Amino acid sequence: DQQVKQNSPSLSVQEGRISILNCDYTNSMFDYFLWYKKYPAEGPTFLISISSIKDKNEDGRFTVFLNKSAKHLSLHIVPSQPGDSAVYFCAASPGGSQGNLIFGKGTKLSVKP
Amino acid sequence: SAVISQKPSRDICQRGTSLTIQCQVDSQVTMMFWYRQQPGQSLTLIATANQGSEATYESGFVIDKFPISRPNLTFSTLTVSNMSPEDSSIYLCSVVQGWGNTIYFGEGSWLTVV
């Protein structure tokens, strides 16, 4: 049973608009959440993270929102750029287990010029 | 963040053979981790490579199939033994750095078993 779910395998948005990538989790013990971006033929690149004690974290064009009661997090990219086209993975960390991240299956974002 | 280099970046392997993947980090790190991403799947932790002791394997992964070495604080190897087509995956070396449990990945080693 998947503990971290990204229910949209793909998303297409227009350049300049907002991209919203969603992620749901089932384990209430997760205390740290991350987003990674992956281009073809490259390893995943860390993008942004959020601790369970916060509900929002912002870094430039990227904002992650956490709704603990709904066990849901989302990544907002605004404005979206063609270079943002990649696969985005949501990941969650079980408390006290360093190095062990539970990943979703990813959402492929396509930003069209 | 640390620079993580992996070799080989890509290989095509014959069924039944073994391949060793190398991971080099440009700074000393306490913990190194090996992940796998099978086609269309999420990333899954194989094991934690501990310096000076045996690796710690996750459920579903065993030492005989995925022996790991960690001779020092900057280097680790993962061997995929007696390969079958199901082992065709991206194998990723990673380290934890900074605050929280943020993992940084190498470029990955793309293995295809024929």
Side-chain angles (χ1 to χ4, degrees):
Chain A
D1 188 30
Q2 267 199 295
Q3 297 188 67
V4 176
K5 296 179 184 178
Q6 293 177 257
N7 291 319
S8 298
S10 62
L11 175 68
S12 182
V13 300
Q14 208 66 34
E15 181 179 5
R17 306 294 290 268
I18 185 170
S19 296
I20 300 176
L21 297 112
N22 293 304
C23 178
D24 296 296
Y25 62 94
T26 57
N27 190 338
S28 58
M29 297 302 292
F30 290 149
D31 62 357
Y32 187 60
F33 302 88
L34 309 90
W35 285 93
Y36 287 84
K37 179 170 73 173
K38 187 177 182 301
Y39 293 118
E42 292 186 13
T45 303
F46 170 69
L47 205 53
I48 193 169
S49 63
I50 189 167
S51 163
S52 60
I53 63 173
K54 294 187 172 183
D55 55 18
K56 178 182 174 182
N57 189 25
E58 192 172 352
D59 184 2
R61 295 186 298 115
F62 303 92
T63 303
V64 56
F65 296 92
L66 176 62
N67 182 335
K68 281 191 295 182
S69 60
K71 294 192 178 68
H72 177 83
L73 66 155
S74 60
L75 174 68
H76 292 210
I77 307 173
V78 54
S80 301
Q81 300 172 353
D84 295 329
S85 298
V87 177
Y88 289 79
F89 290 95
C90 170
S93 172
S97 177
Q98 198 173 41
N100 186 1
L101 295 183
I102 311 299
F103 284 84
K105 288 191 175 183
T107 297
K108 184 175 182 179
L109 174 65
S110 299
V111 181
K112 301 189 183 309
Chain B
S1 61
V3 175
I4 305 168
S5 304
Q6 288 186 232
K7 287 184 195 178
S9 57
R10 192 179 290 268
D11 208 341
I12 298 174
C13 308
Q14 294 294 319
R15 186 194 302 248
T17 63
S18 299
L19 182 80
T20 296
I21 303 166
Q22 299 180 3
C23 177
Q24 180 75 52
V25 186
D26 70 344
S27 59
Q28 293 186 341
V29 291
T30 306
M31 301 171 80
M32 294 174 75
F33 308 90
W34 288 96
Y35 275 79
R36 177 175 79 176
Q37 185 188 12
Q38 293 177 300
Q41 302 298 313
S42 55
L43 288 80
T44 302
L45 179 64
I46 297 172
T48 302
N50 305 306
Q51 197 267 333
S53 64
E54 274 196 4
T56 306
Y57 290 84
E58 298 300 309
S59 175
F61 298 97
V62 295
I63 188 171
D64 289 346
K65 176 67 176 177
F66 298 102
I68 287 171
S69 79
R70 180 85 195 273
N72 57 53
L73 291 175
T74 64
F75 186 79
S76 177
T77 68
L78 168 76
T79 299
V80 186
S81 303
N82 188 24
M83 285 185 282
S84 66
E86 291 71 33
D87 294 319
S88 298
S89 294
I90 308 169
Y91 291 87
L92 296 147
C93 174
S94 62
V95 303
V96 170
Q97 278 202 321
W99 181 84
N101 198 12
T102 302
I103 290 181
Y104 295 91
F105 289 92
E107 315 97 329
S109 298
W110 300 60
L111 302 189
T112 302
V113 184
V114 298

